[in-house]
Amino acid sequence: MSDALLQIRNVKKWFNSKDKRLMVIDGVSFDVQEGEFISILGPSGCGKTTLLRIIAGLEKQDEGEILLRGKSISGPGQDRAMVFQDYALFPWRTVLGNVLFGLEIRKIQKKEALEKAKSFIKLVGLEGFENSYPHELSGGMRQRVALARALVCEPDILLMDEPLSALDAQTRNVMQAELVRIWEETKKTIIYVTHSIEEAVYLSDRIAVLSKRPAKLLELVNVDLERPRDRFSKEFVNLRAKIFKLIQS
Ligand SMILES: Nc1ncnc2c1ncn2[C@@H]1O[C@H](COP(=O)(O)OP(=O)(O)OP(=O)(O)O)[C@@H](O)[C@H]1O
Ligand SMILES: [Mg+2]
């Protein structure tokens, strides 16, 4: 028996496209430990989002299984929350309203919900913006709202699909550092999809490197670098180069 939080076991997935079956994921297996920050890294179109959606329970694999605390996943659940690239905020709700949303549908008592929402807004660095609307915020701030909205429901696992890729390079770097801070404060398990090698090396404890489609696991790379990480250190640059070569091969 593995004591991993999540076990991904020989997952295979095909899509029907026109008259043929397109294989997208070809037997991917790895474990995710509690509290770990793990990235799924691979070239565009290789099947990263599909794998994340399967973990979220939004998509069904054709073969293999995914176990969460030893139990097979059969659909979405409160134990997993997803953060998307396009934020997916409600434009008609304020920052506070957006963060409250998940608590409202869970029928959490109003006073408790308000306190919780405010504390998570503070955690993501948006204190003072509770009454702003999404269109009044920058991209980085919107992603902070999306993060607070996902975290406030206290899922076991946070699933993130290229959440920073719509941001400019500088904001993206700031948000990467913020994400590490928030991860350290909340001790969440994070599964993070990206096609940026630099981002994966900056953020992760481990990186699941996928091949081009159909996605196979090329290697699980350990990132044994102290945080906060220096993108220009020799070790960082060497690891980037190693993963780059791995993907090219
Ligand atoms: N619902 C669907 N029906 C048919 N084909 C699909 C469906 N969803 C994804 N695909 C195909 O599966 C492949 C993998 O898609 P996926 O979105 O998982 O890749 P990705 O690695 O997330 O790519 P990107 O880096 O561009 O986000 C692509 O070829 C895509 O066209
Ligand atoms: Mg994708």
Side-chain angles (χ1 to χ4, degrees):
M1 260 302 278
S2 160
D3 59 358
L5 175 63
L6 192 79
Q7 295 168 258
I8 299 162
R9 291 276 165 273
N10 198 26
V11 166
K12 295 186 184 177
K13 174 77 185 171
W14 287 263
F15 281 120
N16 292 319
S17 88
K18 294 188 189 111
D19 50 346
K20 59 176 199 258
R21 266 180 113 205
L22 180 77
M23 191 181 205
V24 179
I25 300 174
D26 185 6
V28 169
S29 303
F30 60 90
D31 286 354
V32 180
Q33 306 300 328
E34 186 127 35
E36 185 172 33
F37 198 128
I38 188 163
S39 288
I40 298 174
L41 173 74
S44 185
C46 79
K48 303 180 294 298
T49 295
T50 305
L51 181 58
L52 202 69
R53 285 175 56 83
I54 293 172
I55 297 169
L58 299 170
E59 195 88 61
K60 185 93 187 82
Q61 70 274 19
D62 295 301
E63 286 183 29
E65 68 175 342
I66 298 189
L67 304 167
L68 178 60
R69 297 192 198 284
K71 277 197 191 141
S72 193
I73 284 175
S74 57
Q78 294 187 6
D79 40 33
R80 285 150 287 148
M82 192 122 165
V83 177
F84 303 93
Q85 179 183 348
D86 60 1
Y87 326 118
L89 300 177
F90 301 119
W92 60 87
R93 282 188 167 224
T94 61
V95 167
L96 183 62
N98 268 281
V99 178
L100 276 172
F101 179 75
L103 301 173
E104 285 170 8
I105 54 172
R106 240 151 265 183
K107 306 252 188 297
I108 308 279
Q109 206 214 337
K110 203 164 180 189
K111 186 161 168 276
E112 188 194 337
L114 257 176
E115 270 172 26
K116 256 188 140 177
K118 284 185 179 163
S119 79
F120 279 91
I121 289 169
K122 188 173 175 199
L123 173 75
V124 300
L126 283 182
E127 213 175 5
F129 292 93
E130 288 83 355
N131 298 320
S132 302
Y133 285 88
H135 76 268
E136 299 173 306
L137 305 175
S138 69
M141 290 163 89
R142 285 181 208 176
Q143 204 48 281
R144 288 175 195 260
V145 180
L147 199 55
R149 194 181 55 179
L151 286 169
V152 79
C153 296
E154 301 188 75
D156 293 330
I157 306 183
L158 200 54
L159 304 170
M160 308 187 82
D161 191 2
E162 310 222 27
L164 308 183
S165 60
L167 305 177
D168 64 87
Q170 207 178 331
T171 308
R172 190 173 173 160
N173 283 0
V174 170
M175 287 301 294
Q176 287 170 357
E178 280 290 275
L179 194 54
V180 170
R181 175 185 65 79
I182 291 163
W183 168 70
E184 285 173 338
E185 282 186 33
T186 59
K187 303 190 166 59
K188 284 290 148 201
T189 306
I190 299 185
I191 306 181
Y192 191 99
V193 162
T194 181
H195 62 251
S196 160
I197 301 174
E198 177 181 332
E199 181 166 74
V201 174
Y202 183 81
L203 294 172
S204 327
D205 292 324
R206 287 191 303 153
I207 306 171
V209 183
L210 302 182
S211 68
K212 51 183 190 290
R213 198 192 69 217
K216 283 196 189 71
L217 183 66
L218 290 175
E219 201 173 311
L220 274 168
V221 176
N222 273 315
V223 187
D224 285 324
L225 302 177
E226 263 184 53
R227 294 187 176 93
R229 292 180 176 157
D230 173 3
R231 298 164 204 273
F232 301 103
S233 73
K234 207 173 109 212
E235 295 79 14
F236 193 105
V237 173
N238 285 348
L239 191 56
R240 266 184 80 172
K242 179 190 148 176
I243 296 171
F244 181 79
K245 281 179 199 143
L246 188 67
I247 292 175
Q248 298 301 303
S249 63

